[in-house]
Amino acid sequence: MTAPIGELADVLPGGSVLVDPDLLATYRYDSARDPRAGTPTAVVRATCTSDVQQVLKWASEHGVPVVPRGAGSSLSGGASGINGGVTLSLERMRDITVDPVNRVAVVGPGAITADVKSAAAEHGLWYPPDPSSVEMSSIGGNAATNAGGLCCVKYGVTSDYVLGMEVVLADGTALRLGGPRLKDVAGLALLKLFVGSEGTLGVITELTLRLLPRPAGAATLVASFSSLDAAVQAVVGLTARVRPSMLELMDRVSINAVEDMTRMGLDRAAEALLMVRTDTPGESAVEEIALIHEVCGRHGASEIYTSTDPDEGEALLAARRAALPALETLGSLLIDDVGVPVPALPSLVRRIQATAARHDVLIAVVAHAGDGNVHPVIVYPSGDCDAEARARRAFGDIMGAAIELGGTITGEHGVGRLKAPWLADQVGRDVITATARIKDALDPCGILNPGVILETGDRSPDPGS
Amino acid sequence: MTAPIGELADVLPGGSVLVDPDLLATYRYDSARDPRAGTPTAVVRATCTSDVQQVLKWASEHGVPVVPRGAGSSLSGGASGINGGVTLSLERMRDITVDPVNRVAVVGPGAITADVKSAAAEHGLWYPPDPSSVEMSSIGGNAATNAGGLCCVKYGVTSDYVLGMEVVLADGTALRLGGPRLKDVAGLALLKLFVGSEGTLGVITELTLRLLPRPAGAATLVASFSSLDAAVQAVVGLTARVRPSMLELMDRVSINAVEDMTRMGLDRAAEALLMVRTDTPGESAVEEIALIHEVCGRHGASEIYTSTDPDEGEALLAARRAALPALETLGSLLIDDVGVPVPALPSLVRRIQATAARHDVLIAVVAHAGDGNVHPVIVYPSGDCDAEARARRAFGDIMGAAIELGGTITGEHGVGRLKAPWLADQVGRDVITATARIKDALDPCGILNPGVILETGDRSPDPGS
């Protein structure tokens, strides 16, 4: 980078601009560990909106790529570094203010999502989105990727809770969008456009989030099925009648990995384990769980356990929570994220099984089954470059399978840099063109997170291809 | 218009192009009765996506403005005619197909919203959005304006139910966005951008809508308050603890208009009547309504009635349903639509009362109180031009008051042509600039519904100003 980073250091608060190579190296990768990640020439750790504006103005003037970064927990390379670029970290902007009368939280983008949830809970309120990364991901990253989680099946995704935003455009203009209003259709839905734009249209500097009253409790059911098709039939059947607050599926590979580690007595022959929760108040949870029990039974579940006791309910979910730790004992993980219409889930899982065989890797499936959102977890021996290359080919093939089944290459992790080469296959060239037009309209110099969502074609060859 | 409409008539199915002046006159106004509405030079009644593509290609070539129109029930002049323009009616594209396994409805934009709801109900499913215009508005118009309704307070707005869309851009390109997938973050949220874009970015030719299982039942409460502040305190208090499926407010003017017409025994001295519903299953509805009763009582409600019987519940809502008919007996109506943060509701209502006095018009307030979304209904003597002008000034002043209270000029009706002059006051010049850039990116010739959302400055002077 020939652009004068010193100019930026002069105008920002002391300590904002990092150029120490050891520090820069820590901002190279995000949780996707993209082998093509570059190393930023500088990292700016913004303290306020004005800092962000100065960085973007400077970057626009000098044509420097800027990678906005929250906690760096992206699983699709949305926050990985660019050689010659500046990584703009929002980790120091983490204020959280809860307004219990308006039932909103006003938060800095660097606040950890779990901290937002805790702050709301102190007022008896609830911020629903619960990505698995909740303890480490930033709320700005959640908004930038429109993060989901387990409760989406009933409560929706991050976009459904973003009422307002301050966002800085590439030219340094700070826009205020929305506010603590539950209904507002004044003008284009820019707020909804910036959510999920993965840092390619602007940098979020503040969020106003909708909070709900906390649900009373939950009843939990776990059912095992000897047939994947029967399990998905049960999902279709029960979601036609009730709205579970969680509806997860584990396949046989996941079940066995967990059983290997925990010896909790799971049925190793089962093709699918369903975990269902309902959080309707009082006795109605008992009635709903009975109905879900009946539906699972009718679809041939071999074992069904239910509980309305909170601790027992948690115990019933232990297998789901143990899935990733159990798989981590087997090797390195590449966590994919695709989605299909719910009835296509069995076909997708069979395609994933074939992909595993073809590339000689282990692939376990955990899924937010109620949403059709599937996380194939590709396991390969740590440090085995050939196996990693096969794993990355499987990662791509799974996206291809999802597209062929009328699905999506990403349900909740985002496109990032890792999945950008597949986007056109899913959405088509005309949608890519429309996307590029909007990108150009808001970021004419293309400085904001280049290579994310839309490919730039200037990356080094994928070592996995 | 010098553009050769005959060209279009030649390529479209017979009877698609209307040029008869008597017929054109019926497409001049929408339900907003904008006095500055023009008369289209032609009306095209499309039968399929290809028709829409041909119209837009032709219009782009010849620089002819196109006004997309569903049922013409816009209350903000979003579908009113333009002199020299073509009105593109979607009223003949009204297919409805319900897929109960995927729990979606695939519908043509001209389908009436009530028909979509009925088709879903035949499969035991539910399309939640319930704008008051449900019996006459088109689903395409609902999506174009991101329509709301009474159930939004719990179930959200139209945008929350649009999973997929086919939309034709100004140049005739048909985009397919989303699909029957509950989670999909692949690429920019174009789907969410087109919802609420009021026909300024593209013409919706098909929608894929999410359906829910139908809630079991409902419990209803009506409470009258001698103080508006106390009623809103009750709203804040109860929404912190439960999620009602309806939470409406009527002010004293509305109450008295209804009582004048119906003699149903409403408390004429009450400052506010709250109507609340909860639809949690089974006995929990009884428990929730008891909690709501307790909160209303604690905030000084003078009379409280509750029922868990469906017919009795409907009877309790009779006053709300009678509000518009009662007001219509008093004169012509101008129905405004603004929103504020819920705690600001009393201030807004007082500002509305002052506005009524200042302009010597009657203004009744009905509100979706749980959302802070307020419909001031301005009543003036039919045929009195001076009174109509005063009513239109009041209409504007109410938007100004909402903006000053941190609110919005439109909660659910859309900006249309009627409210476009106030948009910049709410969102600021920078947001207008960003909006214009996106508009230009997708509709570079500016043919799509010009004057809606963004002012074009070429309209005749407002007779009310």
Side-chain angles (χ1 to χ4, degrees), chain B residues 204-237:
Chain B
I204 297 167
T205 49
E206 188 187 282
L207 290 161
T208 300
L209 302 171
R210 179 180 195 178
L211 305 177
L212 298 183
R214 205 160 16 176
T220 311
L221 172 147
V222 175
S224 63
F225 293 81
S226 60
S227 146
L228 192 59
D229 294 86
V232 172
Q233 287 300 318
V235 170
V236 169

Side-chain angles (χ1 to χ4, degrees), chain A residues 1-12 17-19 41-44 54-55 57-65 84-86:
Chain A
M1 181 170 64
T2 55
I5 189 75
E7 275 181 24
L8 208 46
D10 289 346
V11 295
L12 293 176
V17 180
L18 311 180
V19 291
T41 304
V43 171
V44 179
Q54 306 233 42
V55 172
K57 266 185 219 162
W58 173 88
S60 276
E61 272 168 32
H62 298 285
V64 177
V86 166

Side-chain angles (χ1 to χ4, degrees), chain A residues 303-319:
Chain A
E303 290 181 344
I304 307 179
Y305 301 96
T306 65
S307 178
T308 54
D309 177 80
D311 293 334
E312 270 182 36
E314 284 305 306
L316 287 177
L317 300 181

